[in-house]
Amino acid sequence: MQLPVTVYTVPNCASCEAVKRFLTARRVIYLEKNVREDPAALAEMQARANVRVAPVTVIGEQAFFGTFEDQRPLLEAALRDNGA
């Protein structure tokens, strides 16, 4: 069973798009939440990751933030640890 994966994004964000491409290439099903258009999603992202800047990727209970290049090794490890 795959852990829930959520990606908090904003429009026209290169790192947001890169995170989504990365997950899609690995056949990881994720839920995308646009924090610019959804105030509840913004509040949720801030509560989970304590940051105000997208992208934020949540895998299970782990939250990762920063540029895609910052997140990539952490996402790879989290997916590997969870069998995805």
Side-chain angles (χ1 to χ4, degrees):
M1 183 173 134
Q2 182 179 310
L3 288 174
V5 178
T6 304
V7 182
Y8 296 92
T9 65
V10 293
N12 303 313
C13 165
S15 282
C16 300
E17 294 303 317
V19 168
K20 294 187 299 183
R21 281 193 306 272
F22 171 84
L23 294 172
T24 299
R26 284 153 182 78
R27 294 183 175 88
V28 174
I29 298 167
Y30 62 89
L31 174 63
E32 180 180 1
K33 295 189 177 187
N34 182 330
V35 299
R36 187 167 295 154
E37 296 175 0
D38 183 350
L42 176 61
E44 184 180 294
M45 180 186 82
Q46 290 174 303
R48 293 179 101 172
N50 199 31
V51 296
R52 294 182 53 89
V53 180
V56 171
T57 309
V58 178
I59 300 174
E61 296 301 316
Q62 295 180 283
F64 307 96
F65 55 89
T67 66
F68 172 65
E69 290 306 315
D70 291 340
Q71 288 191 40
R72 183 181 186 145
L74 304 171
L75 296 177
E76 288 174 341
L79 293 173
R80 185 174 51 251
D81 292 348
N82 290 290

